[in-house]
Amino acid sequence: EGAGAEDRLSLDGHEIAGRLDVFSAAKGGGLTAVARLSLEEYLAGVLAGEVPYDRWGREALKAQAVVSRSYALYQMKLHSGDAYDVESTVMSQVFRPGNRHNAVISSALEATRGQVLTSQGRLFSAYFHSTCGGSTAAVEQVFSGQAPQGVLAGVRCPFCAQSPAYRWTASIHKDVLQQRLAAAPELRGQRLGALRGLEFC
């Protein structure tokens, strides 16, 4: 929309950044816009986008600030040769613009300024999620190419049982499942009988 009083760009009424780089997209044509902002400005938008900051306790918000800072710095290192470091969606961390002056968020960020998580003296990718369903998986089982790390091994978790996403259901017709099984590369060429039931081990 243009620049505000502090020459900061805004979109849909939300302040984004002081600088926006626009360039031709590498694939599919079109344009790609990259907002340039400081790490702490970015983290203010991440805390607003990722957690209910207005309901969380101060210490929980500080912990999230450290986790999100660690993850962001890890991603910046990983993508140092790319056109941008992170996305504004769940592909990186959800970013909600217009929160750099939010007092609750600013307090948590200031209290943890410079703090990151490390393993064996090195910054590591501090993955996080809202609900694990009672157990997490080892990082190498979820993200291909990741080496096993003791601090990111799977563990039992009793802490998210109150989450609305803790239990969920999905339905699929048995004919559709039969078709998908028959099309699976691992079963190609096999003669499959009729699907009678499922058993989870």
Side-chain angles (χ1 to χ4, degrees):
E1 288 181 359
E6 298 178 73
D7 292 331
R8 299 187 65 82
L9 298 168
S10 63
L11 178 66
D12 295 331
H14 297 291
E15 177 188 281
I16 299 176
R19 176 180 165 189
L20 192 69
D21 294 341
V22 180
F23 53 89
S24 297
K27 297 179 182 177
L31 299 173
T32 297
V34 177
R36 302 281 181 183
L37 41 106
S38 73
L39 176 61
E40 298 303 305
E41 285 180 285
Y42 167 71
L43 290 173
V46 166
L47 289 185
E50 286 284 356
V51 300
Y53 66 88
D54 53 341
R55 297 194 313 269
W56 272 22
R58 177 174 164 78
E59 296 306 311
L61 200 56
K62 285 166 58 178
Q64 183 65 49
V66 174
V67 169
S68 288
R69 185 180 292 111
S70 304
Y71 184 81
L73 288 170
Y74 183 89
Q75 292 298 309
M76 288 168 67
K77 181 178 177 184
L78 197 64
H79 298 287
S80 60
D82 296 343
Y84 53 87
D85 302 312
V86 292
E87 296 185 31
S88 60
T89 69
V90 293
M91 295 304 293
S92 297
Q93 299 182 89
V94 176
F95 175 85
R96 184 179 297 160
N99 286 280
R100 71 187 182 110
H101 295 304
N102 182 297
V104 173
I105 292 174
S106 296
S107 176
L109 291 173
E110 189 57 38
T112 62
R113 185 174 290 273
Q115 295 179 20
V116 295
L117 298 171
T118 62
S119 175
Q120 298 178 340
R122 294 192 301 271
L123 185 71
F124 76 101
S125 189
Y127 297 109
F128 63 91
H129 51 266
S130 69
T131 310
C132 71
S135 165
T136 62
V139 67
E140 69 274 14
Q141 295 175 331
V142 180
F143 300 100
S144 60
Q146 282 273 11
Q149 296 183 54
V151 294
L152 295 176
V155 296
R156 300 291 298 166
C157 171
F159 300 109
C160 62
Q162 301 304 314
S163 168
Y166 184 72
R167 296 188 188 282
W168 52 271
T169 60
S171 299
I172 183 170
H173 195 279
K174 69 175 184 177
D175 292 343
V176 174
L177 186 55
Q178 180 96 29
Q179 292 169 4
R180 291 184 183 175
L181 284 171
E186 299 86 352
L187 299 175
R188 196 165 287 143
Q190 302 283 335
R191 185 167 181 266
L192 299 177
L195 183 64
R196 295 173 183 257
L198 287 176
E199 182 176 325
F200 294 95
C201 304

